Amino acid sequence: MMPISSINPGLLTLKAPNYLTRLPGWMIWKMESAPGETKPRKIPYYSSGVRRFGVQGSPKDRAQLVSFDDAKRAAAMRGFDGVGFALMPDWHVTALDFDHCVTDGVVDPSVELMVSGTYAELSPSGTGVRAFVLGNLGDRKSHAQANEFGFEVFGTKGFVTFTGQVLPICELSGSDTVIAPPTPELIALHASRFAVQPEYSATHEPIIGLTEVQLMECLRVLDPDMGHDDWLHVGMGLHHETEGDGFDLWDNWSSRGEQYPGREALEKRWLSFGQSGVRPVTARSFARQAARLGADIAVDVARASEFDVLPEPVAPAGGHFKIRSTADFMLNVQPVSWLVKGVLPHAQLGILFGESGSGKSFLAFDLCASLARGIEWNNLKTKQSRVLYVVAEGVGGFHQRVQAYCHQSGLTPSDLAIDIISDVTPNLTDSASVSKLIADIRLCGPYDLVVMDTFAQVTPGANENAGEDMGRALAYCKKISQSSGAMVLLVHHSGKDASKGARGWSGLRGASDVMLEVSRFEDDRCVTVDKQKDGHDGASFGFTLHTVVLGQDTDGDDITSCIVSYGQISEKKRQRTKIKLGDVEKLVLRVAHDLAGLSDTSKIEQTTLIDACVAQIPKSDSTRDRRNFRATRALEMLCAKGLAECSGGVVQILRDTNA
């Protein structure tokens, strides 16, 4: 019988992706030295304390493998070094081992980018990386060579340790709970090291194991009026996760939105899912976004009673989590570092967005020029900075923009500490491209600010409404920032409805440290601090674009560009600006004006207004009458846009909109 070692309660806090925890393939391990060997080995044991023996994958072997929770408890109570996972051909998962790829806590960039979309962690030694991907990549090993990391795959046999020390890049990309298919870069590495193509099925995607309660919790926080593609992916993910039995979940959730097409139309969509023969969309497409929005879908790691039998651990000097008094904490507080005081922090990620023609690219360059020169921007203090500007579209216009700025300021281009990428632009959704950009920044930097103009052009082919694509791009932006110390500023477009902010995936706002919105008011423009993570938002600065003649072309016509001039915008001009409204919002405004006798200040009973609107909204073919809901929601949106005010059941239209 195995002797019982010191109890190791810390193992009970380990967490793993649901796909792995639901597989009964877990065991425990400990470090042991064999006679004549200087380096100890990680030896696998069953949870009973008996060393693993016999044929791996045999009925006798499988019968002694346990769940993740049972393995944690056994390892903790027996004082083993950790838990491990046994690979089987029917698990449809491969474990990856990258040896000697971590130096002084820094992971090799090529390895980091290959595993950023799936669960990956540090090895027990801290010098390697372990990752898990879907599919069978076989069982092969490539030893480390000079200036090359070792690479090993376990697809059908063997055992790997599990530490729970998730890589930061996985936490940033939201893949710390995901087992994803292998990336093209990983497939390429596999082919180059082993000279074989992996046996990977493109159409196999196992469920991730969410319960109906967890699925309902995800839907609770998701907006049914999200972009069409994201809405469709929710349905596809529910279909896959429930194996076709979750239609009512999708229907009930969709019916809360304004764009609900009716149950019959939804059923036709539902029956088409899973028929294409290509890799299906899974619940991962919406579960990660729901988790970011606050959905409580975590799996319990242990019951409180399981800790009752464990002795209270002794804390080291300073405590496990470095508990400090408020006074000590305040002594070490770090103030916010600003590139532009109160507007642009020296953070990781910022977004400057606006409609086409709003002047956002002119403003972005003017701001960068002030930073490069170390002069005030619009009477605000700046930190003199080196800037890298990625001109991903309109290179000719950017050339003229620089020329106009230098002409107006009495400078030459050599006076601006701005480097430019324009010939070959990076792709923020491609790991190899991002890795090359990081290497170039390290070679030519350091930089304080990296501008991507525009975000759409540095994410070619990506679905800007999909959390999968945009989440990956934003994670790479933050990786660029972490690797270089520079802030990444994305120049982006507004959506079709400018009142709803930046175009595309709703998670852009949550991922950014600062958002600057550029708006146009006839010939005048304005930049507003729409979000400031570590400061005050709402500040607004007016500006105009003045034309500068740079010369004449071969036909004798003027070559022009613009420079930025700052000033105030009258509130009257702001008021005249047309605000984009939906059809039901326009109806509510029109009915409200009719009821108030065209008086902008008259008050109307909310029930009277809603009833009058319902009478004018066509009834859909659906058995459920949602006209009252649509009218009420439209009124709420008018209030949110500052066009109406509701209090005590009374509505007041605040101003006309020219809508």
Side-chain angles (χ1 to χ4, degrees), residues 133-198:
V133 294
L134 293 174
N136 177 16
L137 302 186
D139 303 278
R140 295 176 176 86
K141 184 171 184 176
S142 169
H143 292 285
Q145 306 293 329
N147 300 319
E148 191 178 63
F149 52 80
F151 180 51
E152 189 171 4
V153 296
F154 303 83
T156 65
K157 60 184 180 181
F159 129 92
V160 293
T161 60
F162 187 91
T163 66
Q165 300 181 63
V166 184
L167 297 189
I169 188 66
C170 295
E171 294 180 321
L172 284 172
S173 63
S175 61
D176 52 325
T177 61
V178 174
I179 306 299
T183 62
E185 295 81 12
L186 181 58
I187 296 296
L189 174 67
H190 187 283
S192 66
R193 290 290 184 96
F194 307 126
V196 294
Q197 288 297 322

Coordinates of all heavy atoms in Angstrom, one line a residue, residues 133-198:
V133 N -5.9 20.6 -28.1 CA -6.7 21.0 -29.3 C -7.6 19.8 -29.6 O -7.4 18.7 -29.2 CB -5.8 21.3 -30.5 CG1 -5.0 22.5 -30.2 CG2 -4.9 20.1 -30.8
L134 N -8.6 20.1 -30.4 CA -9.6 19.1 -30.8 C -9.0 18.3 -32.0 O -8.2 18.8 -32.8 CB -10.9 19.7 -31.3 CG -11.7 20.4 -30.2 CD1 -12.9 21.1 -30.9 CD2 -12.2 19.4 -29.2
G135 N -9.4 17.0 -32.1 CA -8.9 16.2 -33.2 C -7.7 15.3 -32.8 O -7.2 15.4 -31.7
N136 N -7.4 14.4 -33.7 CA -6.3 13.4 -33.4 C -5.1 13.8 -34.3 O -5.1 13.6 -35.5 CB -6.8 12.0 -33.8 CG -5.7 11.0 -33.6 OD1 -4.7 11.2 -33.0 ND2 -5.9 9.8 -34.2
L137 N -4.1 14.3 -33.6 CA -2.8 14.6 -34.3 C -1.8 13.5 -34.2 O -0.6 13.7 -34.5 CB -2.2 15.9 -33.7 CG -3.1 17.2 -33.8 CD1 -2.4 18.4 -33.4 CD2 -3.7 17.4 -35.2
G138 N -2.2 12.3 -33.7 CA -1.3 11.2 -33.5 C -0.4 11.3 -32.3 O -0.7 12.0 -31.3
D139 N 0.6 10.4 -32.2 CA 1.5 10.4 -31.1 C 2.9 10.4 -31.6 O 3.5 9.4 -32.1 CB 1.3 9.0 -30.3 CG -0.2 8.9 -29.8 OD1 -0.5 9.5 -28.8 OD2 -0.9 8.2 -30.5
R140 N 3.6 11.6 -31.5 CA 4.9 11.8 -32.1 C 5.7 12.7 -31.2 O 5.2 13.5 -30.5 CB 4.8 12.3 -33.5 CG 4.1 11.3 -34.5 CD 3.9 11.8 -35.8 NE 3.4 10.8 -36.7 CZ 2.1 10.6 -36.9 NH1 1.2 11.3 -36.2 NH2 1.7 9.7 -37.7
K141 N 7.0 12.6 -31.4 CA 7.9 13.5 -30.6 C 9.1 14.0 -31.5 O 9.7 13.3 -32.2 CB 8.5 12.7 -29.4 CG 9.3 13.6 -28.5 CD 9.6 12.8 -27.2 CE 10.4 13.7 -26.2 NZ 10.7 13.0 -24.9
S142 N 9.3 15.3 -31.3 CA 10.5 15.9 -32.0 C 11.3 16.6 -30.9 O 10.8 17.6 -30.2 CB 10.0 17.0 -33.0 OG 11.0 17.8 -33.4
H143 N 12.5 16.1 -30.6 CA 13.4 16.7 -29.6 C 13.9 18.1 -29.9 O 14.0 18.4 -31.1 CB 14.6 15.8 -29.3 CG 14.2 14.4 -28.7 ND1 13.8 14.3 -27.4 CD2 14.1 13.2 -29.3 CE1 13.6 13.0 -27.1 NE2 13.7 12.3 -28.3
A144 N 14.2 18.8 -28.9 CA 14.7 20.2 -29.1 C 16.1 20.1 -29.8 O 16.9 19.3 -29.4 CB 14.8 20.9 -27.8
Q145 N 16.3 21.0 -30.7 CA 17.6 21.2 -31.4 C 18.1 22.5 -31.0 O 17.5 23.3 -30.3 CB 17.4 21.0 -32.9 CG 16.7 19.7 -33.4 CD 17.5 18.5 -33.1 OE1 18.7 18.5 -33.1 NE2 16.8 17.4 -32.8
A146 N 19.2 22.9 -31.6 CA 19.8 24.2 -31.4 C 18.9 25.3 -31.8 O 18.4 25.3 -32.9 CB 21.2 24.3 -32.1
N147 N 18.6 26.2 -30.9 CA 17.7 27.4 -31.2 C 16.3 26.9 -31.6 O 15.6 27.6 -32.4 CB 18.3 28.3 -32.3 CG 19.6 28.9 -31.9 OD1 19.8 29.3 -30.7 ND2 20.5 28.9 -32.8
E148 N 15.9 25.7 -31.2 CA 14.6 25.2 -31.5 C 13.9 24.5 -30.3 O 14.6 23.7 -29.6 CB 14.8 24.2 -32.7 CG 13.5 23.8 -33.3 CD 13.7 22.8 -34.5 OE1 14.3 21.7 -34.3 OE2 13.4 23.2 -35.7
F149 N 12.7 24.7 -30.1 CA 12.0 24.1 -29.0 C 11.6 22.7 -29.3 O 11.4 22.3 -30.5 CB 10.8 24.9 -28.6 CG 9.8 25.2 -29.7 CD1 8.9 24.2 -30.2 CD2 9.8 26.4 -30.3 CE1 8.0 24.5 -31.2 CE2 9.0 26.7 -31.4 CZ 8.1 25.8 -31.8
G150 N 11.4 21.8 -28.3 CA 10.9 20.5 -28.5 C 9.4 20.5 -28.7 O 8.7 21.4 -28.2
F151 N 8.9 19.5 -29.5 CA 7.5 19.4 -29.8 C 7.1 18.0 -29.7 O 7.6 17.1 -30.4 CB 7.3 20.0 -31.1 CG 5.8 20.0 -31.6 CD1 4.8 20.5 -30.7 CD2 5.4 19.5 -32.8 CE1 3.5 20.6 -31.1 CE2 4.1 19.5 -33.2 CZ 3.1 20.0 -32.4
E152 N 6.0 17.7 -28.9 CA 5.5 16.4 -28.8 C 4.0 16.4 -28.8 O 3.3 17.3 -28.2 CB 6.0 15.7 -27.5 CG 5.7 14.3 -27.3 CD 6.4 13.7 -26.1 OE1 7.1 14.4 -25.4 OE2 6.3 12.4 -26.0
V153 N 3.3 15.4 -29.4 CA 1.9 15.3 -29.4 C 1.4 14.0 -28.9 O 2.0 13.0 -29.1 CB 1.3 15.6 -30.9 CG1 1.6 16.9 -31.4 CG2 1.8 14.5 -31.8
F154 N 0.3 14.0 -28.1 CA -0.3 12.8 -27.6 C -1.8 12.8 -28.0 O -2.6 13.6 -27.6 CB -0.3 12.8 -26.0 CG 1.1 13.0 -25.5 CD1 1.7 14.2 -25.3 CD2 1.8 11.9 -25.0 CE1 3.0 14.4 -24.8 CE2 3.1 12.0 -24.5 CZ 3.7 13.3 -24.3
G155 N -2.1 11.9 -28.9 CA -3.5 11.8 -29.5 C -4.2 10.6 -29.1 O -5.5 10.7 -29.0
T156 N -3.6 9.5 -28.9 CA -4.3 8.2 -28.6 C -3.8 7.5 -27.4 O -4.4 6.6 -26.9 CB -4.2 7.3 -29.8 OG1 -2.8 6.9 -29.9 CG2 -4.7 7.9 -31.1
K157 N -2.6 7.9 -26.8 CA -2.1 7.2 -25.7 C -1.2 8.1 -24.9 O -0.9 9.3 -25.3 CB -1.3 6.0 -26.1 CG -0.1 6.3 -27.0 CD 0.5 5.0 -27.5 CE 1.7 5.4 -28.4 NZ 2.4 4.2 -29.0
G158 N -0.7 7.6 -23.7 CA 0.2 8.4 -22.9 C -0.6 9.2 -21.9 O -1.8 9.1 -21.8
F159 N 0.1 10.0 -21.1 CA -0.5 10.8 -20.0 C 0.3 12.1 -20.0 O 1.5 12.2 -20.2 CB -0.4 10.0 -18.7 CG 0.2 10.7 -17.6 CD1 -0.6 11.4 -16.7 CD2 1.6 10.7 -17.3 CE1 -0.1 12.1 -15.6 CE2 2.1 11.4 -16.3 CZ 1.3 12.1 -15.4
V160 N -0.4 13.2 -19.6 CA 0.2 14.5 -19.5 C -0.2 15.1 -18.2 O -1.3 14.9 -17.7 CB -0.2 15.5 -20.7 CG1 0.4 15.0 -22.0 CG2 -1.7 15.6 -20.8
T161 N 0.7 15.9 -17.6 CA 0.3 16.6 -16.4 C -0.6 17.8 -16.7 O -0.6 18.3 -17.8 CB 1.6 17.1 -15.7 OG1 2.3 18.0 -16.6 CG2 2.5 16.0 -15.3
F162 N -1.2 18.3 -15.7 CA -2.1 19.5 -15.8 C -1.9 20.4 -14.6 O -2.1 20.0 -13.5 CB -3.6 19.0 -15.8 CG -4.6 20.1 -16.1 CD1 -5.0 20.4 -17.4 CD2 -5.1 20.9 -15.1 CE1 -5.9 21.4 -17.7 CE2 -6.0 21.9 -15.4 CZ -6.4 22.2 -16.7
T163 N -1.4 21.6 -14.9 CA -1.0 22.6 -13.8 C -2.0 23.6 -13.5 O -2.1 24.2 -12.4 CB 0.3 23.3 -14.2 OG1 0.1 24.1 -15.3 CG2 1.4 22.3 -14.5
G164 N -2.9 24.0 -14.5 CA -3.8 25.1 -14.3 C -3.2 26.5 -14.4 O -3.9 27.5 -14.2
Q165 N -1.9 26.6 -14.7 CA -1.2 27.9 -14.9 C -1.5 28.4 -16.3 O -0.6 28.3 -17.1 CB 0.2 27.8 -14.5 CG 0.5 27.3 -13.1 CD 2.0 27.2 -12.8 OE1 2.7 28.2 -12.9 NE2 2.5 26.0 -12.6
V166 N -2.6 29.0 -16.5 CA -3.0 29.4 -17.9 C -2.1 30.5 -18.4 O -1.7 31.5 -17.7 CB -4.5 29.9 -17.8 CG1 -4.9 30.3 -19.3 CG2 -5.4 28.9 -17.2
L167 N -1.8 30.4 -19.7 CA -0.9 31.5 -20.3 C -1.7 32.8 -20.4 O -2.9 32.8 -20.7 CB -0.5 31.1 -21.7 CG 0.4 29.9 -21.9 CD1 0.9 29.7 -23.3 CD2 1.6 29.9 -20.9
P168 N -1.1 33.9 -20.2 CA -1.8 35.2 -20.3 C -2.5 35.4 -21.6 O -3.6 36.0 -21.7 CB -0.7 36.3 -20.0 CG 0.3 35.5 -19.2 CD 0.3 34.1 -19.7
I169 N -1.9 35.0 -22.7 CA -2.5 35.2 -24.0 C -3.8 34.5 -24.2 O -4.7 34.9 -24.8 CB -1.5 34.8 -25.2 CG1 -2.0 35.2 -26.5 CG2 -1.3 33.2 -25.1 CD1 -2.1 36.6 -26.8
C170 N -3.9 33.4 -23.5 CA -5.2 32.6 -23.5 C -6.3 33.4 -22.7 O -7.5 33.4 -23.1 CB -5.0 31.2 -22.9 SG -3.9 30.2 -23.9
E171 N -5.9 34.0 -21.6 CA -6.9 34.7 -20.8 C -7.3 36.0 -21.6 O -8.5 36.3 -21.6 CB -6.3 35.2 -19.5 CG -6.0 34.0 -18.6 CD -5.4 34.4 -17.2 OE1 -4.6 35.3 -17.2 OE2 -5.8 33.8 -16.2
L172 N -6.4 36.6 -22.4 CA -6.7 37.8 -23.1 C -7.7 37.4 -24.3 O -8.6 38.2 -24.6 CB -5.4 38.4 -23.7 CG -4.6 39.2 -22.8 CD1 -3.3 39.6 -23.4 CD2 -5.3 40.4 -22.3
S173 N -7.5 36.3 -24.9 CA -8.3 35.9 -26.1 C -9.5 35.2 -25.7 O -10.3 34.8 -26.5 CB -7.5 35.0 -27.1 OG -7.1 33.8 -26.4
G174 N -9.7 34.9 -24.4 CA -10.9 34.3 -23.9 C -10.9 32.8 -24.2 O -12.0 32.1 -24.1
S175 N -9.7 32.2 -24.4 CA -9.6 30.8 -24.7 C -9.2 29.9 -23.5 O -8.9 28.8 -23.7 CB -8.6 30.5 -25.9 OG -7.3 31.0 -25.5
D176 N -9.2 30.5 -22.3 CA -8.8 29.8 -21.1 C -9.8 28.7 -20.7 O -9.6 27.9 -19.8 CB -8.5 30.7 -20.0 CG -9.7 31.7 -19.7 OD1 -10.3 32.1 -20.6 OD2 -9.9 32.0 -18.5
T177 N -11.0 28.7 -21.3 CA -12.0 27.7 -21.0 C -12.4 26.9 -22.3 O -13.4 26.2 -22.3 CB -13.3 28.3 -20.5 OG1 -13.9 29.2 -21.4 CG2 -13.0 29.1 -19.2
V178 N -11.6 27.0 -23.3 CA -11.9 26.5 -24.6 C -10.9 25.4 -25.1 O -9.7 25.6 -25.0 CB -12.0 27.6 -25.7 CG1 -12.2 27.1 -27.1 CG2 -13.1 28.6 -25.3
I179 N -11.4 24.4 -25.7 CA -10.6 23.4 -26.5 C -11.0 23.6 -27.9 O -12.1 23.3 -28.3 CB -10.8 22.0 -26.0 CG1 -10.6 21.8 -24.5 CG2 -9.8 21.1 -26.8 CD1 -9.2 22.2 -24.0
A180 N -10.1 24.2 -28.7 CA -10.4 24.6 -30.1 C -9.7 23.7 -31.1 O -8.7 23.0 -30.7 CB -10.0 26.1 -30.3
P181 N -10.1 23.8 -32.4 CA -9.4 23.0 -33.4 C -8.0 23.6 -33.6 O -7.7 24.7 -33.2 CB -10.2 23.3 -34.7 CG -11.5 23.7 -34.2 CD -11.3 24.4 -32.9
P182 N -7.0 22.8 -34.1 CA -5.7 23.3 -34.4 C -5.7 24.4 -35.4 O -6.4 24.4 -36.4 CB -4.9 22.1 -34.9 CG -6.0 21.2 -35.4 CD -7.2 21.4 -34.6
T183 N -4.8 25.4 -35.2 CA -4.6 26.5 -36.1 C -3.8 26.0 -37.4 O -3.1 25.1 -37.3 CB -3.9 27.7 -35.5 OG1 -2.6 27.2 -35.1 CG2 -4.7 28.1 -34.2
P184 N -3.9 26.8 -38.5 CA -3.1 26.4 -39.6 C -1.6 26.4 -39.3 O -0.8 25.6 -39.8 CB -3.4 27.5 -40.6 CG -4.8 28.0 -40.3 CD -4.9 27.9 -38.8
E185 N -1.2 27.4 -38.4 CA 0.2 27.4 -38.0 C 0.7 26.1 -37.3 O 1.8 25.6 -37.5 CB 0.5 28.6 -37.1 CG 0.3 30.0 -37.8 CD -1.2 30.4 -37.9 OE1 -2.0 29.7 -37.2 OE2 -1.5 31.3 -38.6
L186 N -0.2 25.6 -36.4 CA 0.1 24.4 -35.7 C 0.1 23.2 -36.7 O 1.0 22.3 -36.6 CB -1.0 24.2 -34.6 CG -0.8 22.9 -33.7 CD1 0.6 23.0 -33.0 CD2 -1.9 22.8 -32.7
I187 N -0.8 23.2 -37.6 CA -0.8 22.1 -38.6 C 0.5 22.1 -39.4 O 1.1 21.1 -39.7 CB -2.0 22.2 -39.6 CG1 -3.3 22.0 -38.8 CG2 -1.9 21.2 -40.7 CD1 -3.5 20.6 -38.2
A188 N 1.0 23.4 -39.7 CA 2.2 23.5 -40.5 C 3.4 23.0 -39.7 O 4.3 22.4 -40.2 CB 2.4 25.0 -40.9
L189 N 3.4 23.3 -38.4 CA 4.5 22.9 -37.5 C 4.5 21.4 -37.5 O 5.6 20.7 -37.6 CB 4.4 23.5 -36.1 CG 5.4 22.9 -35.1 CD1 6.8 23.4 -35.5 CD2 5.0 23.4 -33.7
H190 N 3.3 20.8 -37.3 CA 3.2 19.3 -37.2 C 3.8 18.7 -38.5 O 4.5 17.7 -38.5 CB 1.7 19.0 -37.0 CG 1.5 17.5 -36.8 ND1 1.5 16.6 -37.8 CD2 1.2 16.8 -35.6 CE1 1.2 15.4 -37.3 NE2 1.0 15.5 -36.0
A191 N 3.4 19.2 -39.7 CA 3.8 18.7 -40.9 C 5.3 18.8 -41.1 O 6.0 17.9 -41.6 CB 3.1 19.4 -42.1
S192 N 5.9 20.0 -40.7 CA 7.4 20.2 -40.8 C 8.2 19.3 -39.9 O 9.3 18.8 -40.3 CB 7.7 21.6 -40.6 OG 7.5 22.0 -39.3
R193 N 7.7 19.1 -38.7 CA 8.4 18.3 -37.7 C 8.3 16.8 -38.0 O 9.3 16.0 -37.8 CB 8.0 18.6 -36.3 CG 8.3 20.0 -35.8 CD 9.8 20.1 -35.5 NE 10.2 21.4 -35.0 CZ 10.3 21.7 -33.7 NH1 10.1 20.7 -32.8 NH2 10.6 22.9 -33.2
F194 N 7.1 16.3 -38.4 CA 6.9 14.9 -38.5 C 6.7 14.4 -39.9 O 6.6 13.2 -40.1 CB 5.7 14.5 -37.6 CG 5.7 15.0 -36.2 CD1 4.7 15.8 -35.7 CD2 6.8 14.7 -35.4 CE1 4.8 16.2 -34.4 CE2 6.9 15.2 -34.1 CZ 5.9 15.9 -33.6
A195 N 6.7 15.3 -40.9 CA 6.6 15.0 -42.3 C 5.3 14.1 -42.6 O 5.3 13.3 -43.5 CB 7.8 14.2 -42.8
V196 N 4.2 14.3 -41.8 CA 3.0 13.7 -42.1 C 1.8 14.7 -41.8 O 2.0 15.6 -41.1 CB 2.8 12.4 -41.1 CG1 3.8 11.4 -41.4 CG2 2.8 12.9 -39.7
Q197 N 0.7 14.4 -42.4 CA -0.5 15.2 -42.2 C -1.3 14.6 -41.1 O -1.5 13.4 -41.0 CB -1.4 15.3 -43.5 CG -0.8 16.2 -44.6 CD -0.6 17.6 -44.2 OE1 -1.5 18.2 -43.5 NE2 0.4 18.3 -44.6
P198 N -1.7 15.4 -40.1 CA -2.5 14.9 -39.0 C -3.8 14.3 -39.4 O -4.4 14.8 -40.4 CB -2.7 16.1 -38.1 CG -2.6 17.3 -39.0 CD -1.6 16.9 -40.0

